[in-house]
Amino acid sequence: MFIDSAEVIVTSPDRNFVTLRLQTDDGLVGLGDATLNGRELAVVSYLRDHVVPLLIGRDASRIEDTWQFLYRSAYWRRGPVTMAAIAAVDVALWDIKAKAAGMPLYQLLGGASRTGLLTYGHASGQDLPELFDSVRHHLELGYKAIRIQSGVPGLKSIYGIASNATFEIDQTAEGVRYDHEPARRAALPFEEDWDTRSYLRHIPTVFEAVRNEFGPAIPLLHDAHHRLTPIQAARLGKDLEPFDLFWLEDVTPAENPEALRLVRQHTTTPLAIGEIFNTVWDFQQIIREQLIDYVRGAVTHMGGISHLRKTLDYAAQYQIKSGMHGPTDISPVGMAAAMHLGLAIHNFGIQEYMQHGERTNVVFEQSFTFVDGMLHPGERPGLGVELNVDAAGEYPYVQAYLPYNRLADGTVHDW
Ligand code: CS2
Ligand code: MG
């Protein structure tokens, strides 16, 4: 079973997606997601110009050998572009192997360790009434866990607020989606404003209001999105303790793992980190020192199923669970891979699930189910996702950038 063709397909039904489509000499097709939000074309070039020539004629059954070959023969290792490219090849080969075996991929990964995957959805609002509406909307959709993002008085546009989105992906009955698509189709990135002190004063009051309105039981999550210094992160974790969060995410930029020691010293709020990480080495210290409770790595950005599984196996030794990144910039192919891996591993924690737009669901034909807040990848052989190449061709790439932040004095800040 040899790789006969390798295509890099770029489409932009509701947002940009990069998909690697491998085909073997006996006609099996494997798909891999290589979408890196706001830098999509860098991965397209890495794949088309450097990786695809290496794949043609390779034995498609040798997944680990191909992974090691692509990682070590590049000489230049790690990083978001390289690891997204390797991830796409890895997942496409797992898709092919499971199709060849005539079984859904999770069966090949050791079978199901649970009946379905607990997910969380993104509720957000500029103010409390809008936020409460969004929470109710996600409860109606069936979500059993909810991420809470709120506007901050005095700040015009901040991360995670759907009503900030410049373009509607698709219309719900009420006319606006409650999900926040961060990348904006534009020739230049959008500048947002930020002030940590206003945020730190406001967010605990939001969680108090949400708990008062929706009660103590529902798991609530929050994404601080890399914006706080270690001591500010420690304070936020502490101030949110009374509201019993499922997790507090990306409290401080994670380039400096030691920063989390200070956070751990001050709070028992569970911590989730790692959506911008790309290899197990990014997680090594924070897992070994028990500085996080959830691994946020995504299959698409962590070198695929092969490498993320190794990272999660390492985390399991420290009773750290998965919390795979699942926003709309992880394509349906990347989401399917996350579902199969999540169903098979023992240390599954929760799966992020932002729902893709209608056009995206036409381009990517999917077999997963979402019932009672639980995802299941389905029983079709392989990943259970097929790419409608003709439909994909109707939506060419559109330049889009993630926003960035400036403080009141003009200083660039983490977005
Ligand atoms: C976020 C993402 O979902 C999350 O937890 O951090 O929305 C993130 O901002 C985007 O994936 C960036 O592309
Ligand atoms: Mg996040």
Side-chain angles (χ1 to χ4, degrees), residues 147 159 223 225 249-250 275 296 325:
R147 187 185 85 164
Y159 167 75
D223 193 341
H225 223 257
E249 178 184 340
D250 284 329
E275 70 180 46
R296 285 282 284 148
H325 193 211

Side-chain angles (χ1 to χ4, degrees), residues 37 120 122 147 159 180 182 223 225-226 249-250 275 296 325-327 329 352 354 402 415:
N37 207 5
Y120 71 90
H122 287 197
R147 187 185 85 164
Y159 167 75
H180 168 254
D223 193 341
H225 223 257
H226 323 273
E249 178 184 340
D250 284 329
E275 70 180 46
R296 285 282 284 148
H325 193 211
D329 47 288
E352 178 178 14
M354 256 178 99
L402 285 166
W415 177 77

Side-chain angles (χ1 to χ4, degrees), residues 115-190:
T115 52
L117 305 171
L118 174 68
T119 65
Y120 71 90
H122 287 197
S124 69
Q126 268 304 345
D127 54 31
L128 286 180
E130 192 178 280
L131 175 60
F132 288 177
D133 273 357
S134 179
V135 173
R136 287 190 195 94
H137 177 75
H138 281 82
L139 293 174
E140 281 153 26
L141 288 173
Y143 284 97
K144 296 288 182 283
I146 308 267
R147 187 185 85 164
I148 301 290
Q149 303 295 133
S150 166
V152 171
L155 298 182
K156 290 193 297 300
S157 166
I158 73 167
Y159 167 75
I161 315 302
S163 54
N164 276 351
T166 54
F167 61 93
E168 277 79 24
I169 292 176
D170 67 346
Q171 301 289 326
T172 65
E174 297 84 13
V176 178
R177 275 186 65 129
Y178 281 110
D179 277 350
H180 168 254
E181 169 56 63
R184 302 185 184 204
R185 289 172 167 171
L188 292 172
F190 187 84

Side-chain angles (χ1 to χ4, degrees), residues 27-317:
L28 287 175
V29 169
L31 299 177
D33 177 24
T35 307
L36 190 63
N37 207 5
R39 295 290 182 274
E40 292 88 354
L41 300 183
V43 188
V44 171
S45 165
Y46 193 102
L47 281 167
R48 279 188 183 144
D49 302 331
H50 302 294
V51 171
V52 164
L54 306 177
L55 297 176
I56 307 303
R58 277 192 75 84
D59 179 344
S61 69
R62 301 179 64 183
I63 304 178
E64 181 67 22
D65 178 68
T66 300
W67 194 99
Q68 298 296 341
F69 169 65
L70 293 175
Y71 184 76
R72 295 173 195 280
S73 72
Y75 192 63
W76 311 107
R77 298 180 183 184
R78 303 169 73 174
V81 174
T82 300
M83 300 315 289
I86 295 177
V89 178
D90 183 78
V91 172
L93 293 178
W94 277 110
D95 192 12
I96 286 168
K97 193 178 271 285
K99 284 177 178 167
M103 61 177 78
L105 180 48
Y106 75 84
Q107 289 292 11
L108 209 55
L109 297 172
S113 292
R114 53 200 53 81
T115 52
L117 305 171
L118 174 68
T119 65
Y120 71 90
H122 287 197
S124 69
Q126 268 304 345
D127 54 31
L128 286 180
E130 192 178 280
L131 175 60
F132 288 177
D133 273 357
S134 179
V135 173
R136 287 190 195 94
H137 177 75
H138 281 82
L139 293 174
E140 281 153 26
L141 288 173
Y143 284 97
K144 296 288 182 283
I146 308 267
R147 187 185 85 164
I148 301 290
Q149 303 295 133
S150 166
V152 171
L155 298 182
K156 290 193 297 300
S157 166
I158 73 167
Y159 167 75
I161 315 302
S163 54
N164 276 351
T166 54
F167 61 93
E168 277 79 24
I169 292 176
D170 67 346
Q171 301 289 326
T172 65
E174 297 84 13
V176 178
R177 275 186 65 129
Y178 281 110
D179 277 350
H180 168 254
E181 169 56 63
R184 302 185 184 204
R185 289 172 167 171
L188 292 172
F190 187 84
E191 183 178 308
E192 295 189 341
D193 52 351
W194 178 251
D195 177 67
T196 302
R197 291 174 56 76
S198 333
Y199 166 82
L200 287 177
R201 277 195 305 275
H202 187 61
I203 292 302
T205 68
V206 172
F207 275 88
E208 182 172 19
V210 172
R211 281 291 181 219
N212 290 343
E213 183 75 13
F214 296 97
I218 182 170
L220 298 178
L221 303 85
H222 181 65
D223 193 341
H225 223 257
H226 323 273
R227 292 160 189 226
L228 312 179
T229 64
I231 199 65
Q232 292 167 339
R235 171 185 159 184
L236 180 64
K238 203 171 173 62
D239 290 353
L240 292 176
E241 277 175 15
F243 312 115
D244 182 25
L245 267 62
F246 182 96
W247 80 33
L248 178 56
E249 178 184 340
D250 284 329
V251 270
T252 189
E255 289 98 324
N256 166 25
E258 272 140 38
L260 292 167
R261 290 186 191 149
L262 187 66
V263 182
R264 276 298 211 214
Q265 278 167 28
H266 291 278
T267 181
T268 57
T269 294
L271 301 177
I273 281 203
E275 70 180 46
I276 61 172
F277 285 176
N278 317 108
T279 67
V280 66
W281 293 286
D282 298 324
F283 281 102
Q284 211 171 30
Q285 180 179 354
I286 59 177
I287 287 176
R288 190 179 58 240
E289 292 188 24
Q290 224 68 69
L291 297 176
I292 58 169
D293 305 288
Y294 296 93
V295 166
R296 285 282 284 148
V299 170
T300 299
H301 299 135
M302 277 286 294
I305 285 172
S306 301
H307 195 64
L308 182 55
R309 182 162 66 167
K310 288 175 186 169
T311 307
L312 290 169
D313 288 347
Y314 177 53
Q317 298 166 31

